[in-house]
Amino acid sequence: MPHRTHLTGEDVARKALEMIDELGLDGLSMRKLAAALGVAPMTIYSYFTDRDALLDGVAQLLYGEIEAPSGSQGGPRDTLIRIMMSVRGMLLRHPNAITLIASRPPRTLDALAFVEAGCRALRREGISARDTARAYRALAAYSLGTAMTEAGRYFTEHPATQLAAGPLSERTITRHLPNVAEIGPYLDQLDDAAEFEYGLDLTLDRFMTQPEASLDGP
Amino acid sequence: MPHRTHLTGEDVARKALEMIDELGLDGLSMRKLAAALGVAPMTIYSYFTDRDALLDGVAQLLYGEIEAPSGSQGGPRDTLIRIMMSVRGMLLRHPNAITLIASRPPRTLDALAFVEAGCRALRREGISARDTARAYRALAAYSLGTAMTEAGRYFTEHPATQLAAGPLSERTITRHLPNVAEIGPYLDQLDDAAEFEYGLDLTLDRFMTQPEASLDGP
DNA sequence: ACCTGAACACCGTTCAAGT
DNA sequence: ACCTGAACACCGTTCAAGT
């Protein structure tokens, strides 16, 4: 039988991503991945030293999906909004891979392209390197947390949202958690994308309209 | 041999949390957990239907660790800051359990106590139920994302921080990612707790000093 | 020298056999 | 009726045997 055409590490990672999207992180196994690629299980180890390295490869692939606009069209602010919306979009397209992203920062040139684009936009606004680092951290945390809670159905499956479903009776909730009960109807009725963009806007305001903002005293 | 004193589901979940803290999420197995408790592996299934249910129990336990101040001392704003700092503290104490939290909202009375305390503080400031829901979502996303990136060493192991270590040479980074290279020195020098509190402050400002802020047009 | 099948040391969970 | 040991169908990874 003829040998398979040579696979690249990226081919392997891409198939792994497909399986994660379809079967969940636990649904991906080295053996099933090998079978899907038509190779012996051990062959995968010639591309990645172990399962952990494979998962890192998948994460880098995902970062590569994020838009990295050159910034030639539209102002720096629009560029940043587009990047962060694209981060959220990528995570929502791959909800099963979110925990992968959470523990693996971008490492490759491709994976870092969106970070470079974002930092460049901030610097072009006259923001200092230090404040650019601060803004990058704040934006990354907010975008990651937003996508995580959305993909994890954190609010749509909230006990306050589905009073009937959970382990607590509606009576118990309204009695012991009156304020939680009160917000329930709103929790899953908000427009996710609009809320996210509103938060981004205000986060950008903090660095763009008052870049001299300091943590140190008055 | 005498039977073990009766275990409760909480005992089982608490031991599981211990093992997760020590060995990581993958290091916890039903069999090792049973051995640590001195029972047969199948006994655990009389407390939790499967591994997933056990992990949910661990998550609820973790939510219970978050402070839920009554608010009798200090203003609503201080109360909220204390709660969110406590959320971050809990997650940083249990970095191996963060992915558990990300996909499992609080469900039990104990686990929801901090949410109730937070919502009550917001409502006492005269913020509407709808805006309280918005603030809760924003604060949860920001706190979760912050703890996740910190515990995942997202910035301290950033290629821009450790120019030598990663797969990219320092030369490659400074040439192709000049703006990323520039922020590197700052990324891991920032004061994590101070940055978080600063972000919380501004998020609270958005809802407290202008509670009428709306997503709808002008 | 390279590749890989079989083997090893684990898993979560089912199920039937024991008390 | 309850509990659980053995069994089943998987794992990731090692390693030696094959080409």
Side-chain angles (χ1 to χ4, degrees), chain A residues 63 106-107 116 123 134 137 141 148 154 159 168 177-180 182 187 192 195 198 202 206 213 215, chain B residues 63 101 106-107 116 123 134 137 148 154 159 168 177-180 182 187 192 195 198 202 206 213 215:
Chain A
Y63 285 118
R107 283 178 233 274
E116 174 67 14
R123 297 291 279 121
R134 295 175 63 205
R137 285 178 49 143
M148 204 142 237
Y154 214 81
L168 303 175
L177 308 167
N179 292 282
V180 169
E182 202 180 24
L187 262 188
D192 292 345
E195 288 295 326
Y198 178 62
L202 289 165
R206 115 161 83 135
L215 281 172
Chain B
Y63 285 118
I101 292 295
R107 284 179 232 273
E116 174 67 13
R123 296 293 278 122
R134 296 176 62 206
R137 286 179 47 144
M148 203 142 238
Y154 212 81
L168 303 176
L177 307 167
N179 292 282
V180 170
E182 203 180 25
L187 261 188
D192 292 345
E195 288 294 325
Y198 177 63
L202 289 166
R206 110 160 87 136
L215 281 173

Side-chain angles (χ1 to χ4, degrees), chain A residues 88 142 145-146 149-150 154-156 158 183 186-196, chain B residues 84 119 122 130-144 203 206-207:
Chain A
R88 172 172 171 274
Y142 180 58
T146 295
T149 50
E150 284 182 37
Y154 214 81
F155 305 116
T156 51
H158 201 285
I183 66 165
Y186 300 101
L187 262 188
D188 70 340
Q189 277 174 24
L190 298 171
D191 179 332
D192 292 345
E195 288 295 326
F196 179 57
Chain B
M84 302 324 284
C119 290
L122 289 164
R130 182 168 179 279
D131 275 345
T132 295
R134 296 176 62 206
Y136 170 50
R137 286 179 47 144
L139 291 169
Y142 180 59
S143 302
L144 198 57
T203 304
R206 110 160 87 136
F207 290 103

